[in-house]
Structure formats: C-alpha cells, structure tokens
C-alpha cells in the first residue's frame, strides 16, 4: 500500500466518521427534545380507569389503602400529590407533570384521566398517571428523597448503529482508496519503466473494464509509448541510413585521393571525381537539413498567398524541359483558380519532388500526366501526378514516404537518396494537406496531393507568387 492509498483512506474515513458522529448527535438531540415535548400524562382509557379506581380507594379507604394499591400495581403507577407538593409515596415528580395535570382537570370531563380528591386526613390529593416514558425514568421509591425534583432526560448516543456504520465506513473507505490508488501505482510503475528505456509495458490490459479518467490516462500512456517507440526506431533507422549513404561517397573520395598520389598524371580526372563526390555529399546533407527543419516545425514564413495555377504552370514547363533530355514527356493543364496560404518555396519544392520522381520512374518514351481538380464543397485542391513506370508493391505504398526508402521496383540507374518524397510529405502536412500513392490498373503509379485552399482567385485579391520561379533552385 502506497502513500496515496493511505491518504485516500484517511480522508474518506475522517469524512465518514464525522458524518456518523454528527448524525448520532443530531439523533440524540432530537430524541432529547422529543422526550421534553412528549405529553407527561397518560391519556389512554386504561389510565382513566386506574385513576377512577385510585380516586375511589382514596375516598373510601384512605391514604393507607391508596399506598397499598399503588405498591401492588406494577404497570400503572398512580401519583398522588397533596396541596404542599408532596407525593404520597415520596417519589420525585416533575413540576411540568403537575402543571399539565392541573390543566387537564376541567379539560376532558368525559375522560377523567386526572382527579382531585379530599382525603380523610384533611389533605387534597391530585391524582394522575404519567405516560410510559416518564414511568420508565421514574426513580425507585425512597421516603427521604426530596420531592418534586425534576429529572432531566438523559443524553445518549445510539452506540450500536454508530458502531455498525463505523465498521462499514472503514471497509468502504479502504475499498474506495484501493480502487483509486491501484491504477495510479500501475501508472507510476509504467513511467519508471519508460524512464529506464522500456517502452513495451502496456497499461490498457491492466485497467480491465474501467471506463473512467484513470483508464483514459492509461490508454493515453500506451499511445504515448507507441509514438515514442516509433520515433526512436525512426531515429535509429535514419542514423543507420545516413551513415550508409555517406559511406559510399567517402570511400570513393578516399580511393580518388589514393589514386592521385599513386598516379599524379591523372590528377585532373581525380579532381573531377572528387568534385562530383563532394557535390553528391553536399546534396545529401542539404536534403537532410531540409528534412530536419521540416520535422522540427521550422518552415519559415507561411504567409504567402500562392496562385496555384501560376505555380503549377511553371512546374510543368520546367519538368518538360528536364524530361525532354531523357526521352520522357510531361503533359498537364493547370486549371485551378485557387489561392493557397503558406510557403511558396515549400509548395513548389513538394510538387516538384513528386514530378521529378515520376520522370525518373516512368518508362522511356512515355508521358507523365499532371492533373488538377478543385473540390469547392470541402475547399480542397487535388494535384495528381501519374507515371507509366513499374509501380510499387502494395505493401510498400506507405513506406515510399519514409526517409531513404527505395522500392524493390525502383529504377537502379536513378540518382537520389530516397528523401524527395519524405520532404514532400512533410511540406504537405505542414500546410494541413495529405499525400498518398496508389498503383494504377493500367500500370504505373499515381501520387495524389490534397491541399486546402484559402480562397478562389479574384481580381480583388492580392497574391504573392513572384518567388515561385526561384524556388526550384533554393533550399528551405
């Protein structure tokens, strides 16, 4: 049992015991008040009959006969008080009973529950019968006890109900404290394991059928550890891929330097080789820096109003020039009069990366198609890039957007590091869009880019797209 359990248990127990004691005091006070309010004179028919019998006994038999009658009567103890406030048997009498008895002398003539008789000894006695509660509290007869001393109703606690309630409260306080503290102890243990690097512990099965906030917290913890584990795996894989990609150009650089030392006459060719490898490493490092900034959320200014029709037209023109050099073709008409708010250079680079990847993968003599579609209801722009290449296996469709991934069907003679589509995905997601790929039924791959647009282009809207032309040669 941890500290939290005992804190829960202590405060719940104190709250319940306080409520029990408070209820006991309240019931005791109410019982005391009720005993003071209850009528002191017995008004029942048997009481009236006993008063008539006592009156006849006193009148015709005298005080001694009445004493014998009262002593021999166990249930109905008649009181006889003379004009000097002395009771016949010397018993204590509550003054309130005397006042009530006198007030009843003429109140109920049809039911004589109180009688006043003058005895042979010259004293006038007031006869009445106290109600049963007063009878139970009547002290034993002592001739020397002072008369007319009013006993106060006793103050008592309902001990048995309070004891039962206290035991039940302790049990349920312990049960409630255990119910709340158990999942918190499990969370504490899971966090300790996560701090040590163990992200495999799951809390959802341990929560059972709970459906409260603690169970939600356990499920959120499982989701957090899943994301952390995926992030750590991604970082390890990225580090491995970077080291693998850098190993080849560094090895070629070392070989070129060694060749230059052994064959000085080939220094010019060796320097050209070193320059080419240096450019390849510079390109790789630049793409890694771009990816790192995008994943860190450093996207620069995102306040440009981009006329997508102009931007896509320039991308298509540049792609046609590049594709013509390798016996490929690019077709597309940018009919989309929408304006997107974001980074013009980033959007240009994202779409360009997808188009250039399609040009590399499409077969020689085929065409890469760029289509656009505007969804006015959802305010989204769809840009589709379609090639006629080998496509991608279905199980690899989601992996092509991961860093350094190369499909098993990728053209082997293409240059690149597998970062273009990853950068495109990060840019599109930074603009609130989505990117997905699927194989076409007639062959080839289709990559869809969905971007939410800010407004429909109009003459009154001031847009900024002058930087699009320089974006293709500029990094993030």
């Amino acid at each position: 049992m941890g500290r939290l359990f005992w804190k829960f248990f202590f405060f719940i127990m104190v709250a319940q015991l306080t409520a029990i004691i408070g209820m006991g005091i309240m019931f005791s006070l109410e019982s005391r008040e009720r005993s003071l309010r209850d009528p002191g004179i017995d008004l029942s028919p048997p009481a009236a009959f006993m008063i008539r019998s006592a009156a006849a006994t006193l009148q015709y038999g005298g005080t001694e006969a009445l004493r014998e009658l009262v002593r021999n009567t166990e249930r109905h103890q008649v009181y006889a008080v003379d004009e000097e406030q002395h009771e016949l048997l010397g018993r204590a009498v509550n003054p309130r009973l005397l006042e009530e008895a006198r007030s009843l002398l003429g109140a109920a003539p049809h039911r004589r529950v109180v009688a006043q008789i003058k005895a042979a000894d010259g004293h006038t006695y007031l006869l009445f019968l106290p109600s049963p509660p007063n009878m139970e509290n009547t002290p034993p007869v002592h001739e020397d006890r002072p008369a007319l001393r009013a006993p106060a109703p006793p103050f008592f606690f309902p001990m048995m109900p309070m004891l039962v309630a206290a035991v039940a409260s302790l049990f349920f306080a312990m049960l409630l404290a255990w119910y709340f503290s158990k999942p918190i102890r499990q969370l504490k243990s899971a966090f300790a394991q996560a701090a040590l690097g163990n992200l495999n512990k799951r809390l959802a099965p341990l929560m059972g059928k709970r459906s409260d906030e603690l169970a939600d917290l356990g499920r959120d913890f499982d989701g957090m550890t899943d994301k952390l584990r995926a992030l750590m795996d991604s970082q390890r894989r990225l580090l491995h891929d970077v080291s693998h990609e850098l190993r080849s150009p560094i090895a070629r650089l070392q070989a070129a330097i060694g060749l230059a030392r052994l064959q000085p006459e080939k220094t010019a060719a060796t320097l050209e080789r070193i320059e080419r490898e240096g450019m390849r490493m510079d390109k790789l490092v630049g793409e890694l820096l771009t990816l790192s900034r995008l994943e860190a959320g450093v996207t620069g200014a995102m306040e440009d109003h981009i006329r997508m029709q102009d931007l896509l037209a320039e991308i298509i023109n540049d792609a046609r020039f590049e594709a013509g050099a390798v016996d490929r073709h690019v077709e597309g008409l940018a009919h989309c009069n929408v304006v997107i708010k974001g980074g013009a250079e980033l959007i240009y680079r994202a779409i360009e990366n997808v188009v250039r990847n399609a040009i590399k993968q499409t077969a020689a003599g085929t065409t890469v198609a760029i289509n656009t579609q505007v969804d006015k209801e959802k305010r989204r722009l769809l840009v589709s890039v379609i090639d006629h290449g080998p496509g991608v296996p279905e199980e690899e469709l989601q992996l092509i957007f991961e860093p350094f991934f190369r499909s098993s069907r990728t053209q082997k003679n293409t240059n690149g590091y597998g970062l273009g589509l990853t950068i495109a995905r990060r840019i599109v997601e930074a603009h609130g869009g989505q990117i997905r790929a699927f194989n076409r039924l007639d062959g080839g791959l289709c990559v869809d880019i969905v971007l939410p647009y800010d407004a429909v282009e109009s003459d009154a809207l001031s847009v900024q797209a002058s930087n699009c032309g320089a974006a293709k040669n500029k990094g993030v």
Side-chain angles (χ1 to χ4, degrees):
M1 300 298 179
R3 291 171 294 176
L4 186 62
F5 170 84
W6 290 113
K7 287 182 180 179
F8 270 119
F9 175 74
F10 175 75
F11 285 107
I12 295 173
M13 180 189 67
V14 169
Q16 292 183 341
L17 289 180
T18 303
I20 291 171
I21 295 174
M23 292 296 292
I25 294 175
M26 184 185 69
F27 284 132
S28 298
L29 292 176
E30 184 180 358
S31 176
R32 181 186 178 93
E33 181 68 20
R34 187 170 58 249
S35 66
L36 292 176
R37 292 196 310 266
D38 285 343
I41 304 300
D42 192 349
L43 305 179
S44 63
F49 174 77
M50 191 63 192
I51 291 298
R52 287 197 297 270
S53 300
T57 301
L58 178 61
Q59 185 175 6
Y60 299 107
T63 57
E64 290 300 327
L66 181 59
R67 284 192 182 97
E68 290 298 326
L69 176 64
V70 173
R71 288 194 183 102
N72 295 328
T73 303
E74 296 181 358
R75 183 174 180 183
H76 298 285
Q77 293 286 329
V78 178
Y79 277 59
V81 182
D82 61 13
E83 66 274 9
E84 296 180 0
Q85 311 301 324
H86 292 100
E87 205 273 326
L88 184 63
L89 299 181
R91 293 171 293 183
V93 180
N94 193 327
R96 182 174 59 85
L97 293 178
L98 291 176
E99 295 178 2
E100 186 174 354
R102 292 191 179 97
S103 64
L104 291 174
L105 277 176
H110 62 285
R111 182 185 295 177
R112 296 293 182 178
V113 294
V114 179
Q116 190 171 11
I117 303 298
K118 187 172 183 179
D121 59 0
H123 293 284
T124 302
Y125 291 92
L126 180 64
L127 305 178
F128 60 89
L129 186 65
S131 60
N134 296 90
M135 291 290 295
E136 294 175 2
N137 297 327
T138 302
V141 177
H142 294 284
E143 298 295 338
D144 57 348
R145 174 173 294 181
L148 301 178
R149 184 164 54 94
F155 188 83
F156 69 96
F157 282 103
M159 296 304 299
M160 185 56 67
M162 289 181 62
L163 181 61
V164 173
V167 173
S169 297
L170 291 177
F171 173 75
F172 284 106
M174 184 174 295
L175 188 64
L176 189 61
W178 175 82
Y179 179 78
F180 281 113
S181 63
K182 181 182 177 181
I184 297 177
R185 290 199 306 273
Q186 293 171 341
L187 279 170
K188 178 178 178 295
S189 175
F191 274 110
Q193 292 292 325
L196 295 175
N198 180 16
L199 300 177
N200 295 321
K201 186 165 185 178
R202 311 288 296 178
L203 285 178
L206 299 178
M207 294 297 173
K209 297 183 179 179
R210 297 177 68 108
S211 59
D212 53 11
E213 287 78 3
L214 291 174
D216 295 339
L217 183 59
R219 286 187 285 269
D220 291 341
F221 175 84
D222 290 344
M224 179 192 69
T225 55
D226 290 341
K227 292 181 180 179
L228 286 175
R229 186 166 53 251
L231 181 61
M232 292 175 65
D233 293 341
S234 175
Q235 288 179 343
R236 283 193 292 266
R237 187 171 60 252
L238 180 61
L239 182 60
H240 174 269
D241 293 338
V242 169
S243 62
H244 175 75
E245 294 293 339
L246 288 176
R247 184 182 294 116
S248 296
I250 290 176
R252 289 192 290 267
L253 281 175
Q254 291 175 343
I257 293 172
L259 184 62
R261 290 175 178 174
L262 295 176
Q263 300 177 358
E265 67 277 5
K266 297 184 178 180
T267 302
T270 304
L271 289 177
E272 183 180 352
R273 181 71 177 184
I274 292 174
E275 182 181 8
R276 186 163 59 250
E277 296 299 335
M279 291 177 62
R280 288 172 59 87
M281 293 178 63
D282 180 69
K283 181 181 178 182
L284 173 60
V285 172
E287 290 186 347
L288 287 173
L289 287 175
T290 299
L291 181 61
S292 175
R293 290 171 182 170
L294 289 172
E295 290 184 341
V298 182
T299 57
M302 300 281 285
E303 300 297 328
D304 297 335
H305 290 84
I306 309 164
R307 303 165 74 112
M308 291 303 298
Q309 185 165 318
D310 296 344
L311 184 140
L312 289 172
E314 190 155 0
I315 291 176
I316 292 172
N317 290 333
D318 292 344
R320 283 173 178 167
F321 178 79
E322 182 178 345
V326 291
D327 192 22
R328 272 84 169 171
H329 307 281
V330 175
E331 292 183 356
L333 295 176
H335 293 303
C336 51
N337 58 339
V338 297
V339 176
I340 291 178
K341 185 177 181 180
E345 296 179 0
L346 295 177
I347 293 293
Y348 187 100
R349 183 162 187 177
I351 300 176
E352 184 195 40
N353 284 351
V354 176
V355 174
R356 294 185 69 184
N357 184 75
I359 294 173
K360 292 177 183 178
Q361 298 302 321
T362 195
T366 60
T367 300
V368 173
I370 302 174
N371 301 323
T372 59
Q373 182 179 352
V374 178
D375 188 344
K376 294 183 179 180
E377 294 183 0
K378 298 182 179 180
R379 299 179 66 85
R380 291 181 178 179
L381 170 65
L382 171 64
V383 180
S384 300
V385 181
I386 304 171
D387 64 44
H388 292 82
V392 177
E394 293 295 330
E395 64 273 11
E396 297 179 356
L397 284 175
Q398 296 300 323
L399 299 177
I400 63 175
F401 298 103
E402 297 297 326
F404 297 105
F405 179 80
R406 288 187 177 89
S407 173
S408 57
R409 299 180 186 174
T410 301
Q411 299 285 349
K412 303 301 180 184
N413 58 350
T414 58
N415 296 323
Y417 300 98
L419 294 176
L421 292 180
T422 305
I423 292 174
R425 185 182 70 173
R426 297 291 191 273
I427 293 174
V428 171
E429 290 177 350
H431 286 78
Q434 297 176 345
I435 185 170
R436 57 181 179 268
F438 58 91
N439 291 306
R440 301 171 62 243
L441 296 178
D442 54 350
L445 186 72
C446 177
V447 178
D448 286 344
I449 299 174
V450 181
L451 293 169
Y453 63 82
D454 188 57
V456 177
E457 185 179 336
S458 63
D459 295 335
L461 181 63
S462 175
V463 297
Q464 301 175 2
S466 59
N467 295 329
C468 293
K472 59 182 178 180
N473 297 321
K474 190 173 180 180
V476 179

